[in-house]
């Protein structure tokens, strides 16, 4: 009798589990268009300092780099000078600095304003 009860319990559990709806598939996250790629480290000893990259055309650009105490060390409106222009700052010490970039990129035919932040290590 115990064996029959056990088998019935297994069948009931299997039936209940089979009736559960399948979990909804997770939506695939689309990469954000016109994402700004900023190097994470720069050094005075580099042969060429890497520049910021974007797969879209940038029409407006404003970048600022701050010290750990919130002092603005470097600002530029030219993407070609970011972040390498930081190395020309007087009395620059090695360490980690925060940057903020506001830019307008052309997505298709429409201008899209973006703001991004991050950190850069000066070696």
């Amino acid at each position: 009798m115990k064996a029959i009860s056990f088998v019935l319990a297994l069948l009931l559990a299997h039936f209940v589990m089979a009736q559960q709806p399948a979990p909804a598939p997770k939506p695939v996250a689309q990469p954000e268009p016109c994402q700004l790629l900023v190097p994470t480290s720069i050094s005075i000893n580099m042969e060429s300092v890497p520049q910021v990259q974007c797969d879209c055309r940038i029409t407006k650009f404003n970048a600022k780099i701050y010290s750990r105490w919130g002092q603005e060390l470097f600002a530029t409106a030219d993407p070609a000078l970011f972040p390498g222009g930081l190395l020309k700052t007087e009395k620059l010490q090695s360490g980690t600095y925060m940057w903020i970039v506001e830019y307008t990129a052309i997505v298709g035919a429409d201008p899209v304003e973006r703001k991004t932040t991050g950190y850069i290590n000066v070696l």
Side-chain angles (χ1 to χ4, degrees):
M1 189 68 176
K2 288 184 181 180
I4 292 174
S5 297
F6 181 70
V7 170
L8 286 175
L10 280 176
L11 287 173
L12 180 63
H14 179 55
F15 179 73
V16 169
M17 293 297 282
Q19 297 299 318
Q20 297 286 330
K26 293 181 181 178
V28 177
Q30 297 293 329
E32 186 176 318
C34 302
Q35 187 175 11
L36 205 62
L37 300 175
V38 179
T40 57
S41 298
I42 58 174
S43 172
I44 296 172
N45 298 329
M46 294 178 135
E47 289 182 22
S48 66
V49 178
Q51 294 180 351
V52 67
Q53 296 177 358
C54 184
D55 54 351
C56 297
R57 186 169 60 96
I58 296 176
T59 58
K60 195 164 140 186
F61 186 85
N62 185 18
K64 295 179 181 179
I65 300 178
Y66 297 93
S67 71
R68 69 179 75 180
W69 297 281
Q71 296 172 323
E72 183 179 310
L73 297 177
F74 176 74
T76 184
D78 185 3
L81 295 177
F82 183 75
L86 176 65
L87 296 175
K88 295 178 182 167
T89 304
E90 288 185 33
K91 300 180 184 177
L92 181 68
Q93 297 177 356
S94 61
T96 302
Y97 297 89
M98 181 183 160
W99 54 263
I100 297 174
V101 176
E102 295 175 349
Y103 63 104
T104 302
I106 305 299
V107 179
D110 301 323
V112 177
E113 292 184 7
R114 304 258 187 218
K115 182 176 181 178
T116 185
T117 63
Y119 296 94
I120 189 160
N121 294 311
V122 175
L123 308 173

